[in-house]
Amino acid sequence: MKAENKLFGPMMFCSIGVMGDSLVVNGVVRYYAALSKHLYTAARPNQVRTLTHLYEDEPNITVIEYESNEQIEAFIRDNGLGRLNPPDTYMIPDDKKQLVPLWDEQWYNFYCVPFALRYANFKLPKNLSGSRTLYDRVVKNAKYILTHRTFGRAADTKIDLDYTGWRKSAGLENIENFQIIDIDPSLSDDMLDYVDLIRHAAEIHCVPSSFFCLTDSLFNQTSAKLFYHDIRSETIMRVNNCWNQNAWTFINYANKL
């Protein structure tokens, strides 16, 4: 669609919260970028490198770093932008936890964008040299398992997960035959550097987290067996669906965190 025929002028896609949200709503961002003369999307400092890389092949999308809503408002005002406000999400009342049912689907429903685009619009940039570099640095055994054991409010604590108690009954090979690679922010501050690790893993074990959101986005680019460790009590989402081809095997926990 030529710029002069765009439905909207330059727009700001306002705050999109944590990294997992930022990855999930890429379908919305790309959808509205195609309809706008230019789309700016706001990102927290810890998200800027990943999101700038994700959209680097999209000349119509610019990632703007912000630390406060006042900064976003000033940028919108100074540049005469239209705005796409964040959704007023439905939350289940709870005194102790933030319970947002189907949080990922709520984003798409709010913007009237089909949820199928959450997967169809997830496009990687052409340059993934950092991903190959990280793969070459950390992989010592062609048979390896990726694990990711942190999330949200518990981001500083690695959770003990059950990788072995159910393996024999599931017909899986002894875990001692694999290299275990634990995904950790110290490996890279660009999440797209994990792409080759995801693509070539034998198994991937995730708690509900931004790394889960990235892996789920790449479900059709890996032959790894995908395991969702259902240990986060406030996560209420439809993990398996027709768009990700029901890719995840659940590992349930009686005592959730």
Side-chain angles (χ1 to χ4, degrees):
M1 186 181 293
K2 296 181 180 180
E4 61 268 22
N5 295 327
K6 298 289 180 119
L7 293 178
F8 306 114
M11 303 269 283
M12 169 62 79
F13 192 87
C14 297
S15 172
I16 52 179
V18 299
M19 182 66 83
D21 296 58
S22 300
L23 294 171
V24 164
V25 301
N26 86 94
V28 176
V29 171
R30 293 182 193 275
Y31 177 85
Y32 277 100
L35 298 176
S36 306
K37 288 186 177 179
H38 199 85
L39 189 74
Y40 298 89
T41 180
R44 296 286 188 184
N46 69 320
Q47 302 171 14
V48 169
R49 189 176 174 203
T50 297
L51 296 183
T52 300
H53 191 184
L54 182 64
Y55 297 124
E56 71 178 12
D57 295 341
E58 301 285 353
N60 208 37
I61 300 174
T62 300
V63 177
I64 301 296
E65 180 176 340
Y66 81 102
E67 293 185 345
S68 70
N69 289 332
E70 288 75 19
Q71 286 179 289
I72 297 176
E73 294 303 320
F75 189 88
I76 291 172
R77 182 178 61 251
D78 294 345
N79 292 277
L81 304 180
R83 59 189 303 145
L84 287 164
N85 286 322
D88 183 14
T89 52
Y90 170 73
M91 298 177 61
I92 298 173
D94 190 283
D95 293 335
K96 298 179 180 179
K97 299 171 184 175
Q98 188 177 50
L99 301 176
V100 184
L102 303 179
W103 62 271
D104 50 345
E105 297 180 41
Q106 285 199 52
W107 280 102
Y108 284 79
N109 289 336
F110 179 82
Y111 291 113
C112 300
V113 176
F115 188 62
L117 293 185
R118 179 260 180 277
Y119 298 95
N121 268 9
F122 194 88
K123 301 173 185 176
L124 292 170
K126 294 176 182 177
N127 179 15
L128 291 170
S129 59
S131 173
R132 190 66 206 183
T133 298
L134 181 62
Y135 176 90
D136 291 338
R137 176 162 63 89
V138 303
V139 173
K140 309 302 180 185
N141 180 348
K143 291 170 58 174
Y144 65 89
I145 292 173
L146 294 184
T147 65
H148 186 258
R149 302 185 286 131
T150 62
F151 63 78
R153 55 185 170 78
D156 296 329
T157 304
K158 290 196 173 183
I159 302 160
D160 291 329
L161 298 178
D162 177 15
Y163 302 122
T164 59
W166 47 271
R167 292 185 70 83
K168 187 175 181 180
S169 62
L172 295 176
E173 191 175 341
N174 193 314
I175 200 168
E176 294 178 357
N177 295 336
F178 298 88
Q179 178 187 1
I180 306 299
I181 301 173
D182 198 31
I183 296 296
D184 184 282
S186 65
L187 291 175
S188 177
D189 60 358
D190 180 353
M191 290 192 66
L192 298 194
D193 286 349
Y194 303 143
V195 168
D196 274 294
L197 288 173
I198 291 170
R199 283 173 168 168
H200 302 294
E203 298 176 16
I204 303 177
H205 295 259
C206 299
V207 295
S209 64
S210 57
F211 184 74
F212 161 76
C213 294
L214 175 62
T215 303
D216 191 41
S217 302
L218 301 174
F219 79 93
N220 58 354
Q221 295 193 36
T222 180
S223 58
K225 295 181 175 67
L226 304 180
F227 296 93
Y228 178 87
H229 290 256
D230 190 17
I231 198 169
R232 187 175 180 178
S233 60
E234 70 263 34
T235 299
I236 308 171
M237 63 187 298
R238 204 186 328 256
V239 174
N240 281 327
N241 55 60
C242 62
W243 299 287
N244 68 8
Q245 298 175 15
N246 300 301
W248 294 90
T249 296
F250 271 66
I251 308 300
N252 294 309
Y253 292 77
N255 298 315
K256 292 182 169 54
L257 301 177

